[in-house]
Amino acid sequence: MTQAILDRGAEIGELARRRFSGGVLVEADHRRVSEALARTAELLADPAVPAIFEGTFEAEEVLIRADVLERLPSHPSGSGGWRLIEVKSASRVKDVHVDDLSIQAFVLQRAGIRVVEVCLMHVNTGYLYEGGAVDLAQLFLVQDLTEQVNDRLRTVPERLAELQAMLGSSSAPAIEPDGHCHTPYECPFWQHCAKSKPARWIFYLPGGERTFHTLAREGIQTIDDIPDGFKLTVLQRRVKDNVEWMGPGRKTALETGRNPVHHLDFETFNPAVPKY
């Protein structure tokens, strides 16, 4: 599933580049950073290049690759500059996208690039595919996030300093695993950090995190230790009781079946680019 998500993102990225005629891709990958930095500098200096894809920049010990840097020969804010565009297979703007773009804009500014606009290009769920070639003008929506990114830029240096201090530490941060480990993406160290937790750890109780945090503050670590008087939802109570449960009418419904019984299973999938 993870690979499918990565492939979907790669497909969207390739399609998005077609929106910028004459743009040039920096082909050197993450194993050839020096080559990518040098190639990016060449393209920046060439006024005939209207857009740079996967442009590579480094500043303040932070390395970024910008999905799209579009050259703006003229702009209301002054003469020329660049539009930074992040491409996502998401269907809407998320807070994590603003964080991502704020770090990219910070590095670009420190690298001496005049960024006058910051945008997110994402999938338009209102696009109705009617066959033939995909209409790229309708497939994508571009949202200007310049104001939101500029508001967040002030906090970037402090946040980067915290991250660099953490990375330079000789030990992992003393932070208990919980829901933050899955937001906005699942941390790859989840299994490592949660391996010492009991099999019926309170985090595995269904429902929102409020119940988990309330129980944790009271020193309760396992579902079996939850007091009988503690307020739980119906589903949480069934999990706490840890006994088989059968809904009313299920037995009668199953008895209406007559052999041979056939079962049909089906799945759905959500490609970013419509296939039908």
Side-chain angles (χ1 to χ4, degrees):
M1 184 173 68
T2 300
Q3 187 60 55
I5 293 172
L6 293 173
D7 291 344
R8 183 175 66 191
E11 179 186 20
I12 283 294
E14 292 173 5
L15 286 172
R17 293 174 199 150
R18 299 183 193 174
R19 291 278 302 271
F20 304 90
S21 179
V24 180
L25 173 66
V26 176
E27 297 184 359
D29 62 16
H30 63 280
R31 292 179 290 267
R32 298 180 290 161
V33 174
S34 296
E35 183 180 337
L37 288 167
R39 178 58 174 155
T40 301
E42 290 177 4
L43 297 173
L44 287 169
D46 185 352
V49 176
I52 303 171
F53 309 133
E54 296 296 326
T56 308
F57 301 86
E58 186 175 20
E60 307 287 337
E61 297 184 297
V62 180
L63 183 77
I64 68 158
R65 298 200 72 150
D67 286 340
V68 182
L69 260 184
E70 184 181 15
R71 193 185 300 269
L72 302 175
S74 61
H75 191 270
S77 65
S79 58
W82 296 85
R83 177 186 288 124
L84 169 63
I85 303 173
E86 176 76 2
V87 180
K88 293 294 184 184
S89 59
S91 60
R92 59 183 176 86
V93 176
K94 301 177 182 178
D95 196 58
V96 66
H97 299 153
V98 182
D99 278 338
D100 189 346
L101 282 164
S102 65
I103 292 176
Q104 292 188 48
F106 171 82
V107 172
L108 287 169
Q109 289 181 357
R110 289 295 195 274
I113 307 301
R114 185 169 184 266
V115 178
V116 293
E117 288 184 27
V118 183
C119 301
L120 182 79
M121 177 183 285
H122 63 85
V123 173
N124 173 21
T125 58
Y127 168 44
L128 177 62
Y129 177 61
E130 297 180 338
V134 173
D135 186 341
L136 299 182
Q138 293 193 60
L139 177 64
F140 292 107
L141 290 176
V142 179
Q143 290 194 239
D144 189 337
L145 301 179
T146 308
E147 186 175 342
Q148 295 95 312
V149 168
N150 286 340
D151 288 343
R152 203 161 296 191
L153 272 173
R154 297 188 298 271
T155 66
V156 171
E158 180 181 352
R159 295 169 67 195
L160 286 178
E162 292 174 355
L163 291 170
Q164 289 165 340
M166 179 273 295
L167 290 170
S169 175
S170 59
S171 59
I175 300 175
E176 276 292 298
D178 65 25
H180 75 266
C181 304
H182 302 270
T183 304
Y185 310 109
E186 182 166 342
C187 174
F189 291 98
W190 170 257
Q191 294 295 335
H192 170 78
C193 295
K195 64 183 179 183
S196 62
K197 298 300 181 183
R200 281 172 59 78
W201 181 29
I202 53 173
F203 185 80
Y204 301 136
L205 201 66
E209 288 186 47
R210 180 180 297 178
T211 302
F212 165 75
H213 290 299
T214 301
L215 291 168
R217 283 195 297 270
E218 295 182 9
I220 298 169
Q221 286 294 310
T222 69
I223 295 172
D224 298 317
D225 291 334
I226 298 174
D228 291 336
F230 189 87
K231 186 177 180 179
L232 297 172
T233 66
V234 174
L235 181 57
Q236 290 171 338
R237 179 63 57 185
R238 291 173 188 160
V239 173
K240 181 185 183 304
D241 293 342
N242 201 24
V243 293
E244 183 181 68
W245 179 86
M246 185 178 291
R250 185 179 178 188
K251 183 174 185 295
T252 302
L254 289 173
E255 288 175 344
T256 63
R258 294 290 182 269
N259 287 326
V261 177
H262 303 280
H263 301 272
L264 173 66
D265 184 31
F266 67 94
E267 306 294 341
T268 62
F269 73 122
N270 58 338
V273 180
K275 295 188 180 297
Y276 307 104

